[in-house]
Amino acid sequence: MRGRWAVLGVALASGLIAALGQAPWGLWYLALPALAAVALLVALVPTARGAFGRAWLAGAAQFAVALAWIVEPFLIDSTTHGWMAPFALLGMAGGLALFWGAAAALTAAALQRPVARIWAFAGAMLAFEALRGHLFTGFPWALTGHIWIGTPADQLAAYGGGLLLSALALGLAATLATMAYRLSQGRILRASLEALGGAVALAAALGLGAFRLAAPLPAPLTPVVRLVQGNVPQHLKWQPDLVEGFYHRHLALSASASDEPPALVIWPESAAPFLLDSAGDGLRMAIEAAGVPVIFGVDRRARDEAGRVQYFNALALIGMDAQVAAVYDKHHLVPFGEYIPLIGQFAEGFGGLASQALSGYAPGAGVEILDLAALGLEGLGQSLPLICYEAVFARNLRSEMRPDWILQITNDAWFGTGIGPFQHLAQAQLRAVEFGLPLVRAANTGVSAMIDARGRITAALPLGEQGVLDAQIPGALPATPYARIGDTPWHIALSLLALWLALRGWRRRGRV
């Protein structure tokens, strides 16, 4: 009995340590041995049920730490919604841990030899991470590969996306687990050879990344762009006596003096306190303050073909004539926040326009390109807009026409000032690497940033500060292999692996 509790303790500790590989900590060198310990626990348990339990516990611990920010929206009005916070965290962590548990159970049911299990578990984990990015609209947050973001190894994403980064992490963890098992069997030479192989693989990943980072980038786009970071606290954002003042804050920041006047001003998501179709003097005020075209986040109301009123979380470009020149509607909505039925009964406390729209935003038409040059903004080319959560998904950047840069507007005030905003920023950096495109990020409370085509932050406003960032947009690289091919090869290979494990497990059960 004591041994069982010790095993569960190791599983729990391994999950907690594995979480430290995620942003903002970035301790990948601790995450790898922690993941190796989980693989060993799965390899050495006799039953699929036991493997599921060990991996699930480790996964639950990992997600409980990495996704602790999920409680923040419920604490904005803690009196009304605070009681839901622990249930949200436990539900999210426990639910996502099912993917770890399923990978372990599938592996243990199919294979018996420990080394084979270790490597099959790594492959199954990768397959379930790919599935997690799509099931129920997907939630590819805190993937194992995200531990590499901000290191030279993240440049591998240009060739195989985030799943290649996960394959590197899980492969190195499997190598460490195999080494540990070999040493326990007294096979020192074999363990040494595997250690050498792992070291070579890690050095190659870091070396290739460093080589790619050292290569020059194309020249930046000539015009200066201004990012406005209003730093409006979410719990105050929609209070009736404050909304006008917050709007004037954005106007004042837009009008700030600068050495080189910007050609475009960009505000964050939901920056406008009015509906786009009933803006009054709001559009004119924005243009008069900025003196140049303005892009901002705003809720929009329209009727569908049946005459029903729909609400959209939108991005609007306002031209110098104070008219709407272009609109993009968010199409990848946030589950349990923007479109789930009955959520409206809980939304009143969130306040403002959001309380009305939370009862059911309608999805936009899909990925779009803003041709800014054609709209009179010479030198700014074409931009692919994203709103908040959409930047978490690489597939939301796929379009028939390749843009010159990516624009993300977001309101990370929902996620507090802890780990959530930094993880969201890290995933924006990963998108830039994957597609070889610069990314411009305007965030309400931060981090607003210019990110170059290799994922490096070239200029930024710190989290929790009010201000403006005037900078040129970095240049774009040619389309990366990942931009051209995408995840399809991964999905085919991982589906075949999962099918093979499932069939092998079914045959094993038939022989018992």
Side-chain angles (χ1 to χ4, degrees):
M1 188 67 176
R2 184 175 300 173
R4 180 184 177 186
W5 283 108
V7 166
L8 294 179
V10 171
L12 181 66
S14 298
L16 294 174
I17 295 172
L20 299 180
Q22 302 292 326
W25 307 290
L27 305 179
W28 59 268
Y29 44 85
L30 295 183
L32 291 179
L35 291 169
V38 177
L40 271 176
L41 292 176
V42 170
L44 300 177
V45 67
T47 66
R49 181 178 178 180
F52 176 91
R54 293 177 177 190
W56 179 88
L57 181 59
Q62 193 260 2
F63 288 116
V65 174
L67 302 181
W69 54 264
I70 203 71
V71 305
E72 295 288 349
F74 300 95
L75 301 180
I76 290 169
D77 181 1
S78 58
T79 303
T80 305
H81 304 110
W83 64 272
M84 291 188 280
F87 296 101
L89 179 58
L90 292 174
M92 179 69 79
L96 293 177
L98 293 174
F99 290 94
W100 286 38
L106 184 65
T107 299
L111 300 167
Q112 189 171 6
R113 291 183 298 139
V115 171
R117 274 195 188 182
I118 287 171
W119 286 95
F121 176 63
M125 279 279 285
L126 189 61
F128 277 95
E129 286 205 344
L131 178 63
R132 178 154 69 87
H134 292 268
L135 194 62
F136 306 124
T137 78
F139 189 68
W141 202 292
L143 299 181
T144 52
H146 290 171
I147 67 174
W148 301 114
I149 299 175
T151 74
D154 68 7
Q155 297 302 298
L156 294 181
Y159 305 98
L163 287 176
L164 181 55
L165 300 187
S166 288
L168 176 64
L170 291 166
L172 290 173
T175 301
L176 289 173
T178 303
M179 287 168 45
Y181 177 75
R182 302 286 194 204
L183 289 173
S184 73
Q185 302 297 304
R187 304 182 67 177
I188 299 175
L189 178 60
R190 189 69 179 269
S192 300
L193 292 174
E194 285 157 349
L196 178 61
V200 169
L202 177 59
L206 294 173
L208 176 62
F211 177 79
R212 191 169 186 272
L213 288 169
L217 280 172
L221 302 184
T222 303
V224 169
V225 171
R226 168 167 293 180
L227 306 183
V228 173
Q229 185 167 298
N231 196 37
V232 179
Q234 192 60 40
H235 70 286
L236 301 176
K237 184 176 177 64
W238 297 111
Q239 288 196 13
D241 58 332
L242 297 177
V243 289
E244 184 177 349
F246 291 142
Y247 190 64
H248 280 274
R249 176 186 296 182
H250 284 80
L251 296 175
L253 289 169
S254 299
S256 301
S258 62
D259 294 334
E260 186 173 353
L264 175 67
V265 171
I266 303 173
W267 296 5
E269 178 189 16
S270 300
F274 45 74
L275 291 167
L276 186 60
D277 54 293
S278 57
D281 290 333
L283 305 185
R284 178 187 56 77
M285 293 168 67
I287 293 302
E288 288 181 353
V292 295
V294 176
I295 288 177
F296 59 53
V298 61
D299 282 2
R300 187 175 76 86
R301 178 177 53 192
R303 292 187 181 273
D304 62 13
E305 294 179 355
R308 294 170 298 191
V309 175
Q310 293 182 311
Y311 291 88
F312 298 89
N313 185 355
L315 172 153
L317 169 62
I318 312 304
M320 289 303 295
D321 58 357
Q323 299 298 310
V324 178
V327 173
Y328 165 71
D329 296 320
K330 183 178 183 181
H331 71 276
H332 198 143
L333 302 176
V334 180
F336 304 103
E338 290 181 317
Y339 71 96
I340 292 296
L342 303 181
I343 194 66
Q345 64 180 298
F346 300 109
E348 183 177 354
F350 288 97
L353 300 174
S355 67
Q356 192 170 19
L358 278 172
S359 61
Y361 276 123
V367 180
E368 297 182 22
I369 299 291
L370 296 180
D371 192 343
L372 299 176
L375 294 171
L377 288 165
E378 296 295 334
L380 288 178
Q382 297 175 326
S383 176
L384 188 151
L386 301 168
I387 299 178
C388 190
Y389 179 72
E390 290 182 316
V392 175
F393 300 86
R395 62 182 181 270
N396 289 339
L397 279 70
R398 299 204 167 276
S399 64
E400 294 183 2
M401 184 181 300
R402 181 169 171 81
D404 298 297
W405 52 287
I406 304 162
L407 169 61
Q408 181 196 18
I409 62 170
T410 186
N411 176 21
D412 288 358
W414 285 106
F415 309 122
T417 57
I419 61 180
F422 292 107
Q423 290 176 1
H424 201 192
L425 172 65
Q427 292 180 77
Q429 294 176 258
L430 180 59
R431 298 291 87 81
V433 177
E434 288 173 333
F435 288 85
L437 290 172
L439 191 147
V440 177
R441 190 172 196 268
N444 170 26
T445 53
V447 176
S448 298
M450 290 286 180
I451 301 171
D452 73 18
R454 294 195 176 102
R456 294 169 296 197
I457 296 173
T458 60
L461 289 169
L463 183 66
E465 291 190 12
Q466 176 182 317
V468 298
L469 175 64
D470 293 342
Q472 292 176 303
I473 300 173
L477 293 168
T480 63
Y482 179 75
R484 294 192 296 266
I485 299 171
D487 288 320
T488 300
W490 283 113
H491 292 161
I492 294 172
L494 294 172
S495 296
L496 291 174
L497 172 63
L499 179 61
W500 177 77
L501 288 172
L503 290 174
R504 187 178 175 89
W506 176 75
R507 291 179 59 188
R508 282 192 68 204
R509 287 194 300 271
R511 292 196 299 266
V512 174

